[in-house]
Amino acid sequence: MASKVIPWYKKKHASHVKTDYAYHHTKCAVKHQTERKSSSKSVTQVQAQATEAMAEPAYTIPVFRQRTAEETEEYQRVSTNVGKGLTVIQEELHRMRMATKAQVESLDIQREVRNMMAKRPDFLDDIPKMPDFLVALRPHTVWEKTPVKLFCTVQGNPRPIVKWYKGGVPVDPLSAPGKYKIENKYGVHSLIISRCVVRDTAEYSAVATNQHGTATSMAKVTVKRPAGAGESCHLGLVPHLTDIHPSKLEVALLDRFSVSFGVEGSSISLVCTMVVVPDLPNVPPLAQWYRDDKLLKPSKLVEMSVGGGAARLTLPHLAKDDEGLYTLRIFTKDGTSEHSAYLFVSDAAPSAAGAPGAPMSVKAYDINSDYVLVAWKPPNTVNEAAITGYFVDRCEAGSDTWVQCNDAPVKVCKYPVHGLSLGHSYHFRVRAVNSAGISRPSRKSDKVTAIDAAENERLQVIKIEGKYDIVIKDDDLEGYVTIPGEPTDVHASEIFKSYVVLSWKPPSPRGRAPLWYVIEKCLAGTGAWQRINTAVKLHSPRYPVFDLQDGQKYQFRVYSVNMYGSSEASAPSEPIQKVDKDGVPSAPGQVVATRNTKSSVFVQWEAPKHLKHLMGYYIDARVVGAKEWFACNHKPFKHTRFVVHGLIPGETYVFRVQAVNVFGLSEESQESSPIAVEPALATPSAPFGITMLSSDGSSITLAWKSPKHCGGSKVNAYYIDRRNTDSLVWKEVNLTGVTERICTVDNLTEGAFYEFKVQAANMAGVGVPSAPSSPMKCEAWTMEEPGPAYDLSFSEVRSHSLVILWKAPVYTGASAVTGYLVDMAKKGSSDFVTLNQEAVSHRYLQVTGLEEGETYVFKVRAVNASGVGKASQLSEPVCAKALPGTKEIVAGVDEETGDIFLSLEACEISETSKFVWSKNYKAIGDCPRVAVTAKGRTSRLTFTNPDKDDLGRYSVVVTDTDGVSGSHTLTEDALNTMLELSYAIRHPVVPLKHGLNYEILEKGHVRFWLQAIKLSPSVSYRFIVNDKEVTSGEGHKISHDVATGIIQMTVDHFTRANEGTYTVQIHDGKAKAQSSLVLVGDVFKVALKEAEFQRKEHIRKQGPHFSEYLYFTVTEDCTVMLACKVANVKKETTFHWYKEDDEIVPETPPNVMSGACALPIPLFSRTSQGVYKAVLSDDRGKDTSLFDISGQVFEDIINALAHVAGASASDLVLQCTPEGIRLQCYMSYYTEEMKTVWKHKESKIASSEKMRIGGTAEMAWMQICDPSDKEKGHYSIEISDGVKTHTRTFDLSGQAYTDAYEEYLRLKAAAFAEKNRGRVVGGLPDVVTIMEEKSLSLTCTVWGEPTPEVTWFKNEQEVASTEHTKVTFDGGKFASLVINKVTPDDSGKYSINVRNKYGGEFVEITVSVYRHGEQIPEPKLGQPKTPAATPVPPKSPAPPSKTPTPTPSKSQTPAPSMKSPTPVSTPASTPVPKSPTPVPKSPTPTPKSPTPTPSRGVKSPTPPRFMKSPTPPRK
């Protein structure tokens, strides 16, 4: 086996080297292999061998012990992997050894330098010597993101001043905070560059200077970036630092999170920036976050991140549970670095006004298989009504459905939830209830799983040989048990007025069968037991009981039950009574508030005498003088001291405290004494910014800036110390404090370098000294240009502007200062921009155009005749952002005194603050022209006698604040306006809202009145008419009303004598007013006429009269109604309608008792014009109302009709006629007086032969006669009611036009045929009765074009012309059938057939012949005598033939369609006239008609066709 070697890192001289990395890496490699558990070699052995191997220059495998083949193979596998890892470790350790060696050498050199410096002879202090480097800079090559330190040792007398340069440019540590660190300890000067980057590669130099010369030492720093930067690097290329423990990093906290305020439901982030050395991306610092000293872990509600130079904690869903003290703990090389701040979380907006805030800290305890105890903390109620109870809700994990657990609110902050399902997980939440409503729900609890807690207690773990664990259940030890034992120790674990929770111990033995419990109760001492969980199968040894009576004591006992039976009853519990044992705590004791900071107060109090399981405290505050309290914390605070943050600086508050426990909030404590929010009294912080303003060779004039914190009282003195740069001893400059921030230090040695420091003092003492100034050389200034301006300050800092001020340089140069130039740059930038191209003569400048939130620095250069002087010291960085609550100066006039003033209300103030007013940025001081007063946070500058000399820019600065200031420019116009207002206040008048006016009242009375804006009860006034005062009396009533400011006079009888001038004079305290009204001429005549009219109206209304005269309305069916309203009528009152003095009697008589009468005018048109009159009369009088329907009134009625009709108009409908194509629009009513416009392709259509426009009462139509393709297109009708146009459209193109045109042609042809067919025009009777031997002549007139053919028939047989029967047809017009000497055989049915190519007509005549002496028979008609047209299509006309039409067969003879009624018989030889009313068209004749003779008047069948567009329903 290899010999044991002591590793180098365990030797004494190298004990400072850390071994964490090597050990950690070895441990991980070995652990990875030993997890296989196949090798018997222990981890300890492998680690020991690895440790020994690290001492060797190269890794060698140790001698194998005697092992089996399997062990040997496994060992080789482990050794190979460990060997690779150890090779890497060895290389890392070699690098660390070299770095350590360099550190040791550096320390040795420093130690040697210190020894040499200590052994210097004292006389060397007196020997002048130029700077000399004892140890020069050395070049360095480093990897990116690692630090480097350059150091050198320099000597010289006087002690040299060393400045560092990078590439010839001075190194400024402030330009990149945390990047550079310059140190000077005992003559060793060092420059530390943290986290190098490639651009840090440069030549660095240290330049040492004293009055005898300069020395320079230079060195090159090279920063290398590994191959594949940003990716994992290969071993050997860069040092392996991935496993360096975070606690080995150097961490410095920079910007720290402050006290924060959030609202429920919002989110917030707490961020702390830091500088990490070395800053490795894969090794962030180890950061831990705590809330109230409890470690937080990442979750959905808590998000943490560390990296990028910041540690961040994000709370994405704030609740009051998140309120508390948050602490960030960073583990560093030197231990830990911590920062803490409080987070306040206020209530979100309530669900209902006045509802309480949400409860918090909901947790579950005593978890069992079907029972859990939920507890929470109550919310703070400040101005809300007291909480009356709480509702508890549950929700199964993974579900969003919440179920309310309790029907009635529980009054304590605990509630036992039972009825859970074994193995199910639940969340719980709580809602508070008061008289105003229910609060928002609390944050839900953590997930809770219902399990049997007693099950784990029945498990036993037995170790065998200390190696194996055997788990045994109590069931295995109990043996075979069927019926369980009885429960024990029945008691009440929770007792409240709302409920009692029973608890007991499970039985033993228990048995293996599933177990449940039965509970019984009885009144104590009675023995009358009653089961209480009849509906619940209880599995947990817990059960809440709610229905106990107040004041009664109860005992309980429990049975164990399983499938085999029930146990004996347990021993009864002790008597239990439902009562709140403790109640709320007593009120806390004395509350004391003390000053803390400018926005916080430290509050402490005495704990209550009776704590009663105290949860914490709620602290409330109130502004002195206000009524409303507000909560300072929203989660119970456990300690008796608390810092209240977020208060208004300078405001005065009082505080009170309430104690909190499970029962609620205690009574309020007594209020604390009022305290103003001011910083605690302390010594001032250190002054800063020491700068040299002038030097004459024996003295130096210094200036410095005020401390950032005055310590709560005014700084009243400054003390300056100085020392020579080659000495360590400080000497006091002034024993008596200087009050100004400028001082001249005398008795200095010319050419020597001096350092200065300043201390500020206030009533608390002398503060800490400032940092030493940079060395200043005492030599006389001889340049011609002026020295630097100093004391740069800022005022009126806003989001986009500010005002910079400065003081004039002490050293003016060869001539007086003529102006100043101001330069500006963003913080961290060296690119300065000159803001004013022309030098300003005053010592202030308003800067505009800033970026909100950006930080800037400024410097000022003085200018004289010789040129531009030295720039001032850089100002402090200023952020372009206004202070919260910033207000501007307000100019106004005092309403009481009339004084003109400027006023500023400060957004913050301290006890030592003063308001410093300036004009044009020059302090006003004691000036007789103005007076300055201050009250609280408001200061007022009042002008004693303002005039033009007071114009200018006024500003005010509030001292000892964060820059509270404001300005206002007083212009001449604004001053004149305020002077006028001031005069009005000092010489008051009664302000009038309305001057003197008049109005005519009922009965013709005239009221004169005016209205003042405000009147006092002591007001006096008088009315003057035509220079004579009028008093209240007969005919005049004068009065006033203080509340409304009205003064009035009523004249009962207004006549011509009342013409003239009316005046009112008012006196109200010191104020006066006068108002006049001239009522003469035409103005008076108008008033008099109106008064007389009102008198007549009053008389008229004594009898029946019209309360509303005639007016018109239009109903939905477009009926025009003339309506009126009547009043003061009775049953005997009559009402009559007239038009043009002609009485109109409506169908429904007017009912005057209804109060309204109406006259309908249907189908309104131009003929409805005229003068309508309504007359109302009875024995008391008569009243008339006229309504002239003409002109504009007629137009209004037509428009009203058009409005109703247009709204009811249907879409345009197509209808074909023989004349053309017609478009129809149906509406409720149409008249040609309506403003309707037809359009074709947006062009208006005028009525013509081609385009005919017309309508009926139900529709408007437009017909296109003889249409052609030109008429295709889009058609519309517009119905205008004077306000709105109703439009309906139809697109007559495409298939729609084609179908319509075809139908038109068909109808046109059918009409032509109907017009020209053959027909009987007249002359034939229907029935003829004639005596035998008489002659019968049947003659008729026929018509047709062309001339028709005429054929006569008797009994369906053609009649031939003979001597007995003669047939004639004269002139193509007259057809006759003459029968000479009729006989009975001539009786029968005769018919005539008139026909041409377009069709024809049958006319039938019944002839009856009777003998002489017989009674004239009743006429007997045959078939109906209805003419039937038989039109023939024009394209196939029937061929003309003189031959009578042959007797049609059954298939050819048209059948009659309708029977005419039988006419009344007439005397003999008297033909019965033909019915003048033709029968409508008949359907097509049936071929199988049983009657072969065509019926009279039956037309040939050509039924008309219609378009398929249906007629729309009427609206």
Side-chain angles (χ1 to χ4, degrees):
M1 187 169 180
S3 61
K4 188 173 183 180
V5 181
I6 299 175
W8 64 271
Y9 55 80
K10 290 188 177 180
K11 296 179 181 179
K12 292 183 179 180
H13 72 276
S15 61
H16 60 280
V17 179
K18 307 298 182 182
T19 63
D20 302 64
Y21 173 76
Y23 172 73
H24 181 66
H25 194 93
T26 305
K27 183 177 179 182
C28 292
V30 174
K31 182 178 179 181
H32 178 71
Q33 298 299 329
T34 55
E35 284 177 352
R36 298 185 178 188
K37 298 185 180 179
S38 60
S39 174
S40 60
K41 191 171 185 179
S42 67
V43 176
T44 306
Q45 292 172 331
V46 178
Q47 287 178 344
Q49 291 183 6
T51 305
E52 292 173 357
M54 283 190 291
E56 301 297 328
Y59 181 75
T60 58
I61 302 176
V63 180
F64 284 94
R65 295 179 299 174
Q66 296 299 324
R67 299 181 178 86
T68 63
E70 182 180 356
E71 290 176 337
T72 301
E73 182 183 355
E74 179 64 23
Y75 182 80
Q76 288 176 345
R77 197 159 45 244
V78 173
S79 300
T80 301
N81 289 294
V82 173
K84 292 179 181 179
L86 292 179
T87 301
V88 175
I89 295 171
Q90 192 172 19
E91 292 175 358
E92 175 64 18
L93 291 176
H94 178 70
R95 189 198 65 78
M96 295 175 68
R97 188 158 55 231
M98 294 299 100
T100 304
K101 183 178 179 181
Q103 278 189 327
V104 171
E105 291 175 354
S106 175
L107 293 173
D108 289 340
I109 292 173
Q110 293 181 23
R111 190 181 304 111
E112 184 177 351
V113 170
R114 286 197 297 270
N115 293 337
M116 293 176 63
M117 296 294 288
K119 295 177 180 178
R120 287 190 311 168
D122 294 338
F123 66 87
L124 290 178
D125 292 342
D126 300 327
I127 300 176
K129 187 177 181 181
M130 69 178 293
D132 182 28
F133 285 91
L134 299 179
V135 178
L137 297 178
R138 293 188 301 163
H140 289 73
T141 300
V142 296
W143 292 110
E144 191 179 25
K145 298 183 180 178
T146 58
V148 66
K149 182 176 182 180
L150 304 176
F151 60 88
C152 60
T153 305
V154 66
Q155 67 177 5
N157 188 26
R159 183 180 300 169
I161 298 171
V162 176
K163 292 187 178 180
W164 292 89
Y165 294 85
K166 173 187 175 183
V169 178
V171 175
D172 182 9
L174 297 178
S175 64
K179 177 71 175 178
Y180 302 104
K181 185 177 182 181
I182 298 176
E183 295 179 345
N184 176 15
K185 295 182 178 179
Y186 310 107
V188 179
H189 299 265
S190 60
L191 170 65
I192 302 173
I193 308 172
S194 65
R195 200 183 184 200
C196 292
V197 294
V198 174
R199 64 174 176 270
D200 290 326
T201 300
E203 187 174 59
Y204 291 81
S205 57
V207 179
T209 306
N210 67 6
Q211 65 190 55
H212 300 296
T214 300
T216 302
S217 177
M218 306 175 67
K220 180 71 176 291
V221 174
T222 303
V223 182
K224 291 188 175 182
R225 176 177 294 170
E231 304 172 358
S232 58
C233 303
H234 297 289
L235 295 176
L237 292 178
V238 295
H240 243 286
L241 299 177
T242 56
D243 287 341
I244 290 180
H245 195 271
S247 64
K248 306 305 176 186
L249 304 173
E250 293 185 11
V251 182
L253 300 181
L254 297 179
D255 297 330
R256 307 170 186 230
F257 57 90
S258 59
V259 174
S260 303
F261 299 87
V263 181
E264 280 185 305
S266 63
S267 63
I268 198 169
S269 294
L270 306 180
V271 183
C272 194
T273 60
M274 62 188 78
V275 175
V276 183
V277 180
D279 191 359
L280 305 176
N282 54 344
V283 187
L286 179 58
Q288 292 180 343
W289 288 89
Y290 295 82
R291 182 197 296 133
D292 297 332
D293 296 330
K294 291 184 180 179
L295 180 64
L296 298 177
K297 295 182 180 180
S299 67
K300 290 184 179 180
L301 300 176
V302 179
E303 300 172 0
M304 304 176 187
S305 64
V306 182
R312 181 184 301 271
L313 173 73
T314 301
L315 305 173
H317 304 287
L318 278 179
K320 290 186 290 186
D321 307 59
D322 297 318
E323 182 169 295
L325 182 67
Y326 284 78
T327 301
L328 170 63
R329 180 174 297 163
I330 299 287
F331 290 84
T332 68
K333 185 176 181 180
D334 300 324
T336 59
S337 181
E338 295 183 358
H339 171 66
S340 299
Y342 210 88
L343 169 63
F344 295 87
V345 182
S346 59
D347 288 298
S351 55
M360 71 215 76
S361 303
V362 180
K363 295 182 180 179
Y365 304 91
D366 197 12
I367 303 164
N368 282 269
S369 58
D370 57 3
Y371 164 91
V372 68
L373 181 65
V374 179
W376 59 90
K377 294 179 181 178
N380 190 7
T381 53
V382 183
N383 300 305
E384 301 86 3
I387 292 175
T388 56
Y390 302 90
F391 283 118
V392 180
D393 305 330
R394 75 168 184 260
C395 171
E396 286 207 35
S399 170
D400 293 330
T401 303
W402 289 92
V403 179
Q404 186 171 300
C405 300
N406 51 325
D407 295 331
V410 60
K411 297 184 181 300
V412 294
C413 295
K414 282 185 179 180
Y415 185 75
V417 179
H418 63 96
L420 306 180
S421 300
L422 180 64
H424 288 220
S425 297
Y426 297 89
H427 296 282
F428 298 92
R429 71 181 188 186
V430 183
R431 294 170 293 149
V433 183
N434 69 0
S435 58
I438 302 177
S439 74
R440 294 159 52 95
S442 67
R443 172 182 284 175
K444 68 181 182 181
S445 69
D446 294 334
K447 184 169 65 176
V448 174
T449 303
I451 58 173
D452 189 354
E455 191 66 29
N456 292 334
E457 298 176 1
R458 294 174 54 78
L459 300 177
Q460 297 184 26
V461 180
I462 302 175
K463 288 187 177 291
I464 299 178
E465 299 179 0
K467 187 175 183 182
Y468 303 101
D469 293 343
I470 296 180
V471 179
I472 300 176
K473 287 188 175 182
D474 286 354
D475 299 342
D476 302 324
L477 302 177
E478 292 174 353
Y480 185 73
V481 176
T482 55
I483 297 178
E486 68 275 5
T488 59
D489 191 21
V490 180
H491 65 283
S493 58
E494 301 278 344
I495 301 178
F496 297 103
K497 274 192 174 183
S498 303
Y499 62 87
V500 171
V501 176
L502 295 178
S503 301
W504 57 90
K505 292 182 179 179
S508 182
R510 171 175 174 166
R512 301 187 181 186
L515 186 72
W516 65 91
Y517 300 97
V518 173
I519 306 172
E520 292 182 344
K521 72 175 180 180
C522 74
L523 289 174
T526 63
W529 294 97
Q530 178 185 0
R531 183 173 175 180
I532 61 176
N533 63 325
T534 54
V536 179
K537 205 169 187 179
L538 186 61
H539 297 281
S540 299
R542 304 284 188 275
Y543 187 70
V545 182
F546 294 93
D547 55 350
L548 302 181
Q549 296 182 6
D550 293 337
Q552 297 288 344
K553 292 186 178 181
Y554 293 86
Q555 288 181 293
F556 299 88
R557 65 184 184 186
V558 185
Y559 295 86
S560 302
V561 185
N562 65 9
M563 59 185 294
Y564 298 105
S566 172
S567 71
E568 295 294 328
S570 68
S573 67
E574 293 294 325
I576 299 171
Q577 182 177 356
K578 186 174 69 170
V579 65
D580 287 338
K581 291 183 178 179
D582 297 326
V584 297
S586 58
Q590 183 181 7
V591 181
V592 178
T594 54
R595 291 165 56 171
N596 188 53
T597 68
K598 68 177 183 179
S599 62
S600 65
V601 168
F602 180 70
V603 181
Q604 53 188 345
W605 58 91
E606 296 178 359
K609 294 181 179 179
H610 306 289
L611 297 178
K612 299 181 181 180
H613 305 288
L614 189 72
M615 287 183 180
Y617 301 92
Y618 281 126
I619 302 95
D620 302 333
R622 175 175 60 84
V623 176
V624 172
K627 295 181 180 179
E628 295 290 328
W629 290 84
F630 62 90
C632 299
N633 64 321
H634 305 86
K635 178 181 175 182
F637 186 72
K638 295 183 178 180
H639 306 288
T640 57
R641 59 192 182 279
F642 188 75
V643 178
V644 180
H645 289 273
L647 304 179
I648 300 174
E651 193 62 82
T652 303
Y653 295 86
V654 293
F655 300 88
R656 70 184 185 191
V657 182
Q658 288 178 279
V660 184
N661 70 359
V662 70
F663 294 96
L665 279 62
S666 72
E667 294 293 328
E668 294 94 350
S669 68
Q670 293 184 350
E671 297 179 7
S672 69
S673 299
I675 183 171
V677 183
E678 303 287 351
L681 195 61
T683 57
S685 60
F688 63 99
I690 302 174
T691 183
M692 182 167 68
L693 302 181
S694 178
S695 177
D696 59 4
S698 62
S699 66
I700 293 177
T701 301
L702 303 174
W704 56 90
K705 295 182 180 178
S706 302
K708 291 186 177 179
H709 304 288
C710 66
S713 66
K714 182 181 179 180
V715 175
N716 50 28
Y718 292 96
Y719 297 92
I720 302 96
D721 296 340
R722 69 173 174 86
R723 73 175 180 187
N724 199 306
T725 54
D726 58 356
S727 173
L728 300 178
V729 179
W730 288 93
K731 296 182 180 179
E732 295 178 343
V733 173
N734 59 317
L735 296 179
T736 303
V738 296
T739 56
E740 300 296 330
R741 288 181 288 107
I742 185 170
C743 178
T744 300
V745 182
D746 298 317
N747 302 321
L748 303 180
T749 302
E750 186 172 6
F753 286 85
Y754 292 90
E755 292 177 340
F756 302 89
K757 63 181 182 181
V758 183
Q759 292 172 276
N762 64 4
M763 62 182 299
V766 180
V768 295
S770 66
S773 69
S774 58
M776 300 179 184
K777 187 176 182 180
C778 183
E779 61 180 358
W781 286 10
T782 58
M783 64 272 198
E784 295 183 351
E785 296 81 5
Y790 69 100
D791 199 15
L792 275 63
S793 61
F794 301 98
S795 177
E796 306 155 42
V797 179
R798 302 295 185 262
S799 299
H800 302 287
S801 65
L802 57 81
V803 175
I804 181 172
L805 303 98
W806 60 89
K807 291 184 179 178
V810 173
Y811 180 81
T812 58
S815 59
V817 174
T818 58
Y820 300 90
L821 299 175
V822 180
D823 302 329
M824 178 186 76
K826 292 185 178 180
K827 181 182 177 182
S829 172
S830 58
D831 299 331
F832 279 86
V833 177
T834 301
L835 299 176
N836 54 321
Q837 300 302 323
E838 297 291 333
V840 295
S841 58
H842 45 72
R843 294 192 301 277
Y844 65 89
L845 181 70
Q846 183 167 10
V847 182
T848 58
L850 304 180
E851 298 178 21
E852 184 174 3
E854 190 63 66
T855 303
Y856 300 88
V857 292
F858 296 83
K859 60 184 180 182
V860 179
R861 295 172 292 156
V863 180
N864 65 5
S866 300
V868 180
K870 183 180 179 181
S872 68
Q873 190 179 41
L874 278 183
S875 70
E876 284 295 295
V878 58
C879 179
K881 185 177 181 181
L883 293 173
T886 295
K887 296 183 179 180
E888 302 296 341
I889 292 178
V890 176
V893 180
D894 191 288
E895 294 182 358
E896 299 294 332
T897 62
D899 293 334
I900 297 174
F901 65 86
L902 301 176
S903 174
L904 175 71
E905 182 182 354
C907 58
E908 66 175 68
I909 198 172
S910 66
E911 189 175 344
T912 59
S913 293
K914 290 186 177 179
F915 292 87
V916 179
W917 287 87
S918 302
K919 180 180 179 183
N920 297 328
Y921 295 99
K922 294 181 181 178
I924 293 177
D926 294 333
C927 176
R929 299 189 65 86
V930 294
V932 178
T933 57
K935 183 178 181 181
R937 296 162 59 190
T938 303
S939 176
R940 175 181 285 192
L941 179 100
T942 304
F943 297 93
T944 54
N945 190 17
D947 56 24
K948 291 185 178 180
D949 293 338
D950 292 310
L951 301 179
R953 184 171 185 141
Y954 290 83
S955 60
V956 60
V957 175
V958 185
T959 62
D960 296 332
T961 62
D962 283 343
V964 179
S965 56
S967 68
H968 181 83
T969 301
L970 185 61
T971 62
E972 184 174 357
D973 290 342
L975 179 60
N976 290 337
T977 301
M978 289 189 289
L979 285 172
E980 292 177 3
L981 182 57
S982 174
Y983 180 85
I985 294 174
R986 292 174 177 175
H987 304 84
V989 297
V990 177
L992 298 181
K993 190 174 183 180
H994 297 286
L996 187 59
N997 208 334
Y998 78 93
E999 67 172 322
I1000 310 300
L1001 305 179
E1002 227 179 0
K1003 302 181 183 180
H1005 297 175
V1006 179
R1007 172 177 172 254
F1008 295 89
W1009 64 277
L1010 61 78
Q1011 185 177 15
I1013 294 177
K1014 183 179 180 182
L1015 290 178
S1016 70
S1018 59
V1019 65
S1020 62
Y1021 55 89
R1022 62 177 187 161
F1023 277 88
I1024 300 174
V1025 180
N1026 294 331
D1027 298 330
K1028 293 181 180 180
E1029 183 176 355
V1030 177
T1031 59
S1032 185
E1034 186 176 354
H1036 298 83
K1037 296 178 182 177
I1038 300 175
S1039 62
H1040 75 282
D1041 184 5
V1042 174
T1044 60
I1046 292 177
I1047 300 174
Q1048 62 183 3
M1049 177 182 69
T1050 303
V1051 179
D1052 292 341
H1053 191 63
F1054 194 73
T1055 64
R1056 295 187 179 277
N1058 296 107
E1059 184 176 7
T1061 302
Y1062 293 76
T1063 303
V1064 180
Q1065 296 177 347
I1066 308 172
H1067 294 264
D1068 194 357
K1070 296 180 179 179
K1072 299 179 181 179
Q1074 178 173 308
S1075 181
S1076 297
L1077 174 67
V1078 178
L1079 206 59
V1080 296
D1082 292 339
V1083 177
F1084 173 77
K1085 291 178 182 178
V1086 171
L1088 181 61
K1089 183 178 180 181
E1090 178 66 17
E1092 292 175 348
F1093 172 77
Q1094 290 297 335
R1095 276 196 297 272
K1096 293 178 181 178
E1097 277 292 290
H1098 175 69
I1099 295 171
R1100 180 180 71 86
K1101 292 179 180 180
Q1102 301 308 304
H1105 62 275
F1106 292 95
S1107 58
E1108 287 189 25
Y1109 287 106
L1110 286 176
Y1111 60 93
F1112 78 89
T1113 59
V1114 177
T1115 63
E1116 290 185 0
D1117 62 353
C1118 289
T1119 298
V1120 177
M1121 304 291 291
L1122 288 185
C1124 60
K1125 293 183 180 180
V1126 297
N1128 197 16
V1129 295
K1130 58 184 180 179
K1131 291 182 179 180
E1132 292 78 11
T1133 303
T1134 60
F1135 190 97
H1136 297 277
W1137 291 99
Y1138 296 91
K1139 178 184 179 184
E1140 303 292 351
D1141 294 331
D1142 295 330
E1143 184 174 0
I1144 303 173
V1145 180
E1147 294 181 2
T1148 303
N1151 181 12
V1152 294
M1153 298 305 295
S1154 65
C1157 297
L1159 174 67
I1161 306 177
L1163 302 179
F1164 185 89
S1165 64
R1166 195 170 299 279
T1167 59
S1168 304
Q1169 294 185 100
V1171 177
Y1172 291 79
K1173 180 170 65 173
V1175 178
L1176 187 68
S1177 63
D1178 61 17
D1179 56 355
R1180 296 169 297 168
K1182 176 181 177 182
D1183 198 8
T1184 302
S1185 176
L1186 298 177
F1187 192 76
D1188 185 3
I1189 298 181
S1190 62
Q1192 187 59 45
V1193 174
F1194 179 79
E1195 292 295 328
D1196 293 342
I1197 296 176
I1198 290 297
N1199 287 337
L1201 287 170
H1203 176 76
V1204 177
S1208 69
S1210 68
D1211 292 333
L1212 289 178
V1213 178
L1214 182 69
Q1215 180 67 50
C1216 293
T1217 67
E1219 290 79 20
I1221 299 174
R1222 177 180 291 185
L1223 296 178
Q1224 302 173 165
C1225 180
Y1226 292 91
M1227 60 190 75
S1228 55
Y1229 178 66
Y1230 173 76
T1231 179
E1232 63 181 5
E1233 285 80 12
M1234 288 183 185
K1235 299 174 182 176
T1236 55
V1237 176
W1238 288 87
K1239 289 186 177 180
H1240 176 219
K1241 298 179 181 179
E1242 302 304 324
S1243 298
K1244 185 177 179 181
I1245 300 173
S1247 184
S1248 62
E1249 290 296 327
K1250 184 70 174 178
M1251 298 287 193
R1252 296 179 184 174
I1253 296 174
T1256 66
E1258 295 183 350
M1259 76 168 81
W1261 56 259
M1262 186 275 300
Q1263 180 164 293
I1264 307 169
C1265 298
D1266 192 14
S1268 64
D1269 288 348
K1270 292 182 180 180
E1271 281 71 50
K1272 290 183 180 180
H1274 188 273
Y1275 287 84
S1276 64
I1277 182 174
E1278 295 179 354
I1279 306 167
S1280 174
D1281 59 12
V1283 176
K1284 182 179 179 182
T1285 299
H1286 307 268
T1287 303
R1288 302 294 185 268
T1289 61
F1290 189 88
D1291 188 6
L1292 186 60
S1293 60
Q1295 189 61 37
Y1297 176 80
T1298 302
D1299 293 344
Y1301 188 75
E1302 290 180 357
E1303 178 65 10
Y1304 154 70
L1305 292 178
R1306 190 192 66 79
L1307 293 178
K1308 182 178 179 182
F1312 184 82
E1314 174 65 19
K1315 178 180 178 183
N1316 294 300
R1317 68 177 174 87
R1319 68 185 69 185
V1320 177
V1321 178
L1324 287 178
D1326 288 333
V1327 178
V1328 176
T1329 303
I1330 189 169
M1331 184 184 295
E1332 190 177 16
E1333 296 297 327
K1334 298 289 186 180
S1335 294
L1336 174 63
S1337 175
L1338 298 176
T1339 304
C1340 64
T1341 304
V1342 300
W1343 186 88
E1345 184 63 39
T1347 302
E1349 295 180 354
V1350 177
T1351 306
W1352 291 90
F1353 294 89
K1354 175 185 177 185
N1355 296 332
E1356 299 182 7
Q1357 297 297 322
E1358 184 175 352
V1359 178
S1361 181
T1362 63
E1363 288 296 330
H1364 180 68
T1365 305
K1366 188 176 181 181
V1367 177
T1368 61
F1369 184 36
D1370 298 331
K1373 185 175 181 182
F1374 302 104
S1376 299
L1377 173 64
V1378 178
I1379 304 174
N1380 296 313
K1381 297 183 180 181
V1382 298
T1383 65
D1385 293 336
D1386 292 321
S1387 297
K1389 184 188 297 180
Y1390 290 82
S1391 61
I1392 183 172
N1393 184 8
V1394 182
R1395 178 175 296 275
N1396 63 8
K1397 64 179 180 179
Y1398 296 112
E1401 184 179 26
F1402 288 97
V1403 178
E1404 298 175 346
I1405 311 100
T1406 301
V1407 176
S1408 297
V1409 180
Y1410 64 95
R1411 292 184 175 87
H1412 182 73
E1414 291 182 357
Q1415 185 178 355
I1416 299 175
E1418 290 291 333
K1420 295 181 180 179
L1421 294 177
Q1423 298 300 321
K1425 313 302 184 291
T1426 305
T1430 312
V1432 178
K1435 293 184 179 179
S1436 56
S1441 174
K1442 298 183 180 180
T1443 307
T1445 302
T1447 304
S1449 65
K1450 293 183 179 180
S1451 62
Q1452 296 172 336
T1453 306
S1457 62
M1458 268 183 131
K1459 294 185 178 181
S1460 299
T1462 304
V1464 180
S1465 60
T1466 57
S1469 303
T1470 305
V1472 179
K1474 183 181 176 182
S1475 173
T1477 304
V1479 178
K1481 301 176 183 179
S1482 64
T1484 305
T1486 306
K1488 297 182 180 180
S1489 174
T1491 307
T1493 305
S1495 60
R1496 180 184 179 191
V1498 178
K1499 295 181 181 179
S1500 298
T1502 308
R1505 287 170 47 202
F1506 295 94
M1507 296 298 294
K1508 293 184 178 180
S1509 85
T1511 302
R1514 294 286 302 278
K1515 293 184 180 180

